[in-house]
Amino acid sequence: MARAQGARAQMALAFETVYGTPPAGGFTKMPFASTTLGAEQPLLNSELLGYGRDPLAPIKDAVTADGDVVVPIDAEAFGFWLKAAFGDPVTTGTGPWTHEFRSGAWSLPSLSIETGMPEVPRFAIYSGCVLDQLSWQMQRSGLLTATARLVAQGETVGTVSGAGTPAPIDLKRFGHFNGAITRNGAALGNVVSAQISYANNLDRIETIRADGRIDGADPSIAALTGSIEVRFADSTLVTQALDGDPCALEFSYALPSGESFTFTVHAVYLPRPRIEISGPQGVQATFDWQAARDSTLGRMCTATLINDREEY
């Protein structure tokens, strides 16, 4: 008897034309490290009296489908998650292509995502997936991954894949050692680690339906936050925090072959941090920053992906 193993799991996704309706084709095989994407339907205990001490049968409650997907930040596949977070990119060039994803879109695309365990077999398609949050961390070493938090409409389980034979991805993965951080165009030194989190703050449309599913997930006011931990060597960031002026932060990765990913936050505001001396080691300070709409560009952030893929 075959048993499910994570090593044999697979994932494919495709963007939907109609929310909640999986497309007939066009799926792409996606690299991923782990996922908690799934559907659950809790049971409600019976409150009725008069039938003795033993309770009556429980009743099914509404269906909730959501979860996280941990994915590598790479030169090609990561563009699908950026499109889910920001909408269609502005693409220029003739190969390599430059894909510019901009914040502030009023509507977001929905996806159908299939996770499969062929040895069982079990193939689950999650339709109506909308990206709620995309976050990752920059540090000196380790594997570079991002976490995509999704809200789905529902789950359909079968024994045969509905994605067919998905197109593969040529994986060119970025590493932490490929990363750089700049402030207002100049390299920002003494950075120990950085964390970036973009949230669409989805509003679930929980209408009354016979199947217990949601009607959609609409984006509300977005939020872009994070933190920078630095070795305390000068007062540049502290001075900015005291003055209350914004700065532009750019988090970037580049490969020797020419592919790159740049995430630019156009207006970053820093809080006044607590500077603690905890011992004989170096003094570090943490700035929990917040981003806002830049009045000149008319948006909060721009994600630029340069690769050999013509469109998303």
Side-chain angles (χ1 to χ4, degrees):
M1 179 180 177
R3 294 177 174 84
Q5 292 185 337
R8 296 189 61 184
Q10 57 193 35
M11 176 179 289
L13 65 74
F15 288 97
E16 300 173 344
T17 304
V18 179
Y19 173 79
T21 303
F27 281 82
T28 303
K29 186 176 182 180
M30 300 298 293
F32 73 105
S34 64
T35 179
T36 61
L37 189 60
E40 59 183 0
Q41 188 174 22
L43 298 175
L44 299 175
N45 294 329
S46 175
E47 84 286 17
L48 298 180
L49 306 176
Y51 294 90
R53 291 185 58 242
D54 295 333
L56 297 179
I59 298 174
K60 292 182 178 181
D61 202 0
V63 177
T64 301
D66 54 22
D68 297 343
V69 181
V70 178
V71 299
I73 298 182
D74 72 308
E76 186 174 345
F78 196 57
F80 288 92
W81 302 108
L82 292 175
K83 179 178 177 178
F86 301 106
D88 290 320
V90 177
T91 300
T92 56
T94 56
W97 285 271
T98 299
H99 310 280
E100 190 175 276
F101 302 85
R102 300 173 179 178
S103 64
W106 284 105
S107 61
L108 298 175
S110 62
L111 310 91
S112 287
I113 299 177
E114 181 184 82
T115 59
M117 292 176 280
E119 68 278 9
V120 176
R122 183 185 189 273
F123 295 90
I125 287 188
Y126 301 95
S127 56
C129 293
V130 183
L131 193 142
D132 188 25
Q133 180 176 304
L134 187 65
S135 60
W136 70 94
Q137 186 173 7
M138 296 185 74
Q139 55 193 27
R140 186 175 182 272
S141 62
L143 296 173
L144 177 59
T145 60
T147 300
R149 181 171 301 167
L150 301 161
V151 172
Q153 186 185 46
E155 174 190 63
T156 303
V157 179
T159 57
V160 179
S161 172
T165 305
I169 286 288
D170 184 15
L171 186 63
K172 293 183 179 179
R173 188 172 184 178
F174 297 110
H176 282 294
F177 64 93
N178 302 122
I181 303 175
T182 63
R183 176 185 176 273
N184 291 336
L188 184 61
N190 299 300
V191 180
V192 177
S193 65
Q195 194 271 335
I196 304 100
S197 179
Y198 178 83
N200 282 309
N201 291 320
L202 297 179
D203 179 23
R204 299 176 190 239
I205 311 303
E206 298 179 330
T207 57
I208 299 174
R209 294 171 52 122
D211 57 9
R213 298 182 175 186
I214 61 174
D215 254 352
D218 294 342
S220 59
I221 298 296
L224 179 53
T225 58
S227 64
I228 300 176
E229 187 176 0
V230 298
R231 283 277 185 168
F232 193 63
D234 58 61
S235 299
T236 301
L237 297 180
V238 175
T239 300
Q240 178 189 330
L242 293 175
D243 293 342
D245 298 326
C247 72
L249 290 182
E250 183 179 280
F251 309 91
S252 62
Y253 305 91
L255 295 177
S257 53
E259 294 84 2
S260 66
F261 169 55
T262 303
F263 189 76
T264 305
V265 188
H266 301 294
V268 173
Y269 293 84
L270 303 176
R272 180 173 178 173
R274 181 190 299 270
I275 308 298
E276 297 182 353
I277 303 174
S278 58
Q281 292 81 15
V283 177
Q284 295 184 177
T286 301
F287 295 84
D288 295 319
W289 54 266
Q290 298 180 26
R293 178 181 179 273
D294 181 80
S295 58
T296 303
L297 294 174
R299 59 181 180 273
M300 184 164 55
C301 64
T302 304
T304 304
L305 192 62
I306 299 177
N307 56 27
D308 294 326
R309 190 178 187 92
E310 185 174 0
E311 61 181 5
Y312 284 96

